[in-house]
Amino acid sequence: MLLHIDVVDGDTFTRDEDGLEFMSLDEACATVVALLPELAREAVHGPRRRAAMLRERERIIAAEIRDPAGAVLFRTRLRLDMEWSAPQR
């Protein structure tokens, strides 16, 4: 089953033009859910991205699975909330 996984990281949208083959929608959903923490780790560990992320109060990383016709079959989101007790300099 050919499915496409599109990713949104903050204000960056990455559209999957090629797609991936999965045995089932359940397998694709499990893959996408496992992908989100990896994407968050990349967001935190890149020096430019980390500095940009810490200026925000919230960061949402999301992924959706769509079929070749473009119908969205599944969505998942990971939200990071950042709160400081004192004003940032």
Side-chain angles (χ1 to χ4, degrees):
M1 146 182 286
L2 180 67
L3 298 170
H4 300 267
I5 300 172
D6 299 328
V7 175
V8 177
D9 181 356
D11 59 358
T12 302
F13 176 77
T14 304
R15 183 176 178 86
D16 177 5
E17 297 292 344
D18 301 323
L20 296 167
E21 285 290 334
F22 293 96
M23 295 297 290
S24 67
L25 180 56
D26 287 346
E27 178 193 12
C29 293
T31 299
V32 168
V33 168
L35 175 68
L36 289 185
E38 294 298 322
L39 293 173
R41 194 173 350 274
E42 288 177 22
V44 169
H45 291 294
R48 269 188 46 222
R49 297 189 77 186
R50 181 180 358 173
M53 188 174 84
L54 289 175
R55 286 192 301 268
E56 301 171 0
R57 296 199 176 270
E58 162 184 287
R59 177 73 168 263
I60 297 175
I61 300 170
E64 63 183 29
I65 298 171
R66 61 183 167 79
D67 66 15
V72 175
L73 307 175
F74 179 78
R75 284 190 181 102
T76 186
R77 284 184 288 276
L78 181 66
R79 178 178 160 164
L80 293 160
D81 291 319
M82 291 155 278
E83 238 176 78
W84 292 269
S85 57
Q88 294 295 296
R89 295 179 193 176

